[in-house]
Amino acid sequence: MTTGQTVRLPSVDRILGDAACLALIAHYGRAQTLACARAVLAELRSTAMLAGAVCEEGASIAAIAAQMAERLQAQSRSQLRAVFNLTGTVLHTNLGRALLPDAAVQAVVEALQWPMNLEFDLDTGKRGDRDDLVEELLRELTGAEAATIVNNNAAAVLLMLNTLAQGKEVVVSRGELVEIGGAFRIPDVMTRAGAVLREVGSTNRTHLADYANGVNADTALLMKVHCSNYAITGFTKSVELDELVPLAAQHCVPTAVDLGSGTLVDLAQYGLPHETTVRETIEAGADLVTFSGDKLLGGPQCGVIVGRADLIAKIKRNPLKRALRVGKLTLAALEPVLRLYRAPDLLAERLTTLRLLTRPAAAMRAQAEILLPLLQGALGAAYAVTAEAMSSQIGSGALPVDQLPSFGLAIRSAPGSRLSNPLGALEQRLRALPCPVIGRIGQDTLWLDLRCLEAAHETAFIAQLDELSA
C-alpha cells in the first residue's frame, strides 16, 4: 500500500445489515457480532493509518465479514478440548486422568437434564444425605463401616486431619512425606489442616520403635502415606500397617492411611502389578482410608474417605465438609462406576481405565502397522516414521516404577534435514490439529504411544493426518 492511497471502510450499520453478517448475528448474537465488527474496523483503520492511507467509507463488506466469521469462530471455541493422548501415560493428570465408561457418561447426561434426588429421601419424603447415594456401594466394595465423598483426595486428607487432629500431632514416617503434582505436600496439608507433624525415622529407614517414641499425650493419629510417585530402593525399612495398628490401639489413637490412587480390586488378576487394595487396607486394621476416584478406580474426580462409622460421622459434621462436598454430576458418574466392580470378571471390558491398562501390545502393533504409511505419507521426506515397541505407564502416581509393554510410532528427523528443531516443530503441528495429538519427545524421537488410541477413535485420528502436509 502506498502513502496517500484511499481505503474505503464501510460503517458498522452497513456491515451488520449485510446478509453474511445477519447470519453471524443469528448464530452468535447481536452484541458479540457488533463488538467483533467494531474490533475488525478499528484494526483495519489502524493498519491503514500506519501505512499513510486515507480511510473512507465503502470498502469490501464481504472481506470484513469473512474476518469476523473467523474471529467469532475462534472466540467461541471451547478452551477445554478433546485430544488424542499418545503420551503413553494412561492416567495423565494434565489430560484429565480417568476416562469414564459409557454407563457413567449416560448417567451424567441424565443428571444434566433432570432434577435429581441429590439430598431428598424418596422413601420418607424428607431431606436426605448425598453421601447415601454411594455409601452402601462403598461399604460393600471396601469392607468399611462408613464412607463419605469430597471433591478430591487432597480434600479428603485435609478434612480428615482437620477433623481429628486440629491442634494435635500426627505421627508420620519421614520417608512418606510425599509431594505430588502441583506442589501438594503432606506437611503443608497438615499445616493448613491445623495439625502438627511429628516426623519419625529417616528418609530410607523407619522402625516400629520410631513410631512408638513419637507417640505422646498430644498424638491424635498414626498415619501412613502411600509413596505414589516414587520408590526408595536399597538399604530401606518401613513399618507395615499390620505392625502399626497394635501400637495405635495400645495408645488409643486411630490409624489413618492415605492410599493416594487407591484400587478396589487386585490388579494382579488382570496381569498388572499388585497394588494394595482399599479392602486389604481396611482388613489390616486401618481406621480410616483416603483415596482418589479418578485414578485407578476409573471414575470422576473425587476423594473418598472410608473407615470406622464413628470417625466418618465426626468428619461429616465438620463445617469444612460443606465447602469440600461434591455435586450431583460427580455422584451421578461415581455410582455406575462403583456398580461395575460388582462384576470383576467383566471389569476389564467395561471400565475404560482397566481396558486401556490391559490392552495387548499385539493389538497396538497391528494398529501401528496400519497407521505408519498414512503418517509417513502426511509428513513427507523430512521425517522417518517407524513402528516400535515402547513402554507405557499407569500414571497419576500409581505404581511409578512399573512399565507396561506397549507399541506405537516413533518419529525421527530424516538425515540431512535442514529444519530447525524439527521434532519440536512437528510436536507443535500435532498440537495444532483440530483434535490435538499429544505425544512425548525423548532420545531425539517423537513417540506416539498407541495404548490410548482405541479402535472407535482411529478413523477420526486418520482423517486429520492430511492437515499435517498442508
Side-chain angles (χ1 to χ4, degrees):
M1 182 181 296
T2 59
T3 301
Q5 181 179 351
T6 298
V7 178
R8 297 183 179 275
L9 296 180
S11 67
V12 172
D13 287 342
R14 287 192 60 197
I15 293 173
L16 295 183
D18 184 79
C21 286
L22 289 174
L24 295 177
I25 292 173
H27 186 75
Y28 297 105
R30 181 176 177 81
Q32 191 175 184
T33 307
L34 173 60
C36 183
R38 287 172 173 167
V40 170
L41 281 176
E43 290 178 7
L44 290 173
R45 189 173 294 112
S46 176
T47 301
M49 291 175 66
L50 288 173
V54 179
C55 295
E56 295 183 6
E57 187 173 346
S60 171
I61 293 179
I64 293 174
Q67 289 187 51
M68 291 172 57
E70 184 177 346
R71 180 172 300 200
L72 287 167
Q73 183 180 22
Q75 290 175 352
S76 300
R77 183 183 298 126
S78 173
Q79 295 299 303
L80 187 64
R81 298 170 58 191
V83 304
F84 287 109
N85 174 16
L86 304 190
T87 63
T89 301
V90 176
L91 298 172
H92 199 300
T93 298
N94 303 125
L95 300 180
R97 294 182 180 160
L99 301 179
L100 294 180
D102 290 341
V105 172
Q106 295 305 313
V108 170
V109 170
E110 185 174 4
L112 284 166
Q113 298 176 322
W114 285 87
M116 310 294 285
N117 61 320
L118 179 63
E119 289 187 349
F120 185 83
D121 190 320
L122 295 173
D123 293 328
T124 65
K126 297 180 180 179
R127 181 168 182 166
D129 184 338
R130 64 184 65 195
D131 285 343
D132 291 346
L133 298 171
V134 294
E135 184 175 20
E136 184 178 345
L137 272 168
L138 285 167
R139 290 172 54 197
E140 173 189 332
L141 296 170
T142 67
E145 294 178 358
T148 188
I149 313 295
V150 289
N151 60 359
N152 59 28
N153 190 50
V157 175
L158 176 73
L159 183 61
M160 176 183 69
L161 292 173
N162 180 260
T163 303
L164 303 178
Q166 187 175 26
K168 296 185 177 181
E169 294 186 358
V170 179
V171 182
V172 184
S173 167
R174 185 169 283 110
E176 296 177 3
L177 297 178
V178 303
E179 175 183 326
I180 62 174
F184 170 86
R185 294 179 173 182
I186 288 294
D188 294 340
V189 174
M190 286 197 179
T191 300
R192 294 294 183 182
V196 178
L197 170 64
R198 170 71 70 171
E199 299 180 35
V200 298
S202 63
T203 302
N204 60 320
R205 290 177 68 82
T206 300
H207 304 272
L208 185 61
D210 295 319
Y211 284 97
N213 293 333
V215 177
N216 57 56
D218 291 327
T219 301
L221 282 174
L222 300 188
M223 185 174 177
K224 284 190 66 65
V225 181
H226 181 56
C227 300
S228 59
N229 57 0
Y230 69 96
I232 299 176
T233 60
F235 188 57
T236 64
K237 174 70 172 69
S238 62
V239 177
E240 298 300 323
L241 181 60
D242 57 2
E243 299 177 78
L244 195 60
V245 167
L247 176 64
Q250 177 185 338
H251 293 277
C252 299
V253 295
T255 304
V257 179
D258 173 25
L259 283 180
S261 184
T263 179
L264 298 179
V265 291
D266 182 5
L267 298 176
Q269 65 184 297
Y270 305 103
L272 298 169
H274 176 75
E275 177 89 330
T276 301
T277 68
V278 179
R279 179 178 288 277
E280 288 171 343
T281 308
I282 290 292
E283 290 177 347
D287 296 295
L288 289 170
V289 182
T290 62
F291 56 99
S292 295
D294 59 337
K295 296 180 182 177
L296 283 176
L297 194 148
Q301 177 180 301
C302 63
V304 185
I305 312 174
V306 299
R308 276 171 38 189
D310 61 323
L311 299 179
I312 295 294
K314 191 173 183 180
I315 288 170
K316 292 174 71 168
R317 289 194 298 269
N318 188 326
L320 272 179
K321 174 63 163 65
R322 183 176 180 86
L324 302 175
R325 70 183 182 179
V326 297
K328 68 173 183 177
L329 300 185
T330 299
L331 290 166
L334 180 60
E335 184 181 8
V337 170
L338 293 175
R339 291 190 186 281
L340 293 180
Y341 281 87
R342 285 176 161 171
D345 52 321
L346 302 174
L347 197 61
E349 175 188 346
R350 295 178 177 176
L351 187 67
T352 308
T353 293
L354 191 56
R355 185 170 67 244
L356 295 175
L357 290 175
T358 57
R359 194 174 180 207
M364 291 175 273
R365 179 169 189 161
Q367 188 178 41
E369 291 172 352
I370 293 172
L371 296 177
L372 190 156
L374 301 175
L375 181 59
Q376 183 68 78
L379 296 180
Y383 298 93
V385 185
T386 55
E388 297 184 17
M390 50 191 72
S391 295
S392 302
Q393 60 181 358
I394 294 174
S396 290
L399 301 167
V401 299
D402 293 284
Q403 301 291 310
L404 307 176
S406 189
F407 216 88
L409 299 171
I411 308 172
R412 299 176 180 88
S413 176
S417 173
R418 297 181 181 181
L419 295 174
S420 175
N421 187 21
L423 293 181
L426 177 57
E427 189 226 10
Q428 186 174 11
R429 288 164 59 194
L430 287 168
R431 285 189 282 109
L433 289 171
C435 185
V437 175
I438 314 297
R440 57 184 172 86
I441 295 179
Q443 301 174 317
D444 296 321
T445 304
L446 175 55
W447 304 93
L448 301 181
D449 191 311
L450 297 178
R451 177 170 293 278
C452 294
L453 183 62
E454 294 197 275
H457 299 141
E458 189 176 299
T459 300
F461 177 80
I462 293 173
Q464 64 178 8
L465 291 181
D466 287 344
E467 297 200 23
L468 292 172
S469 58

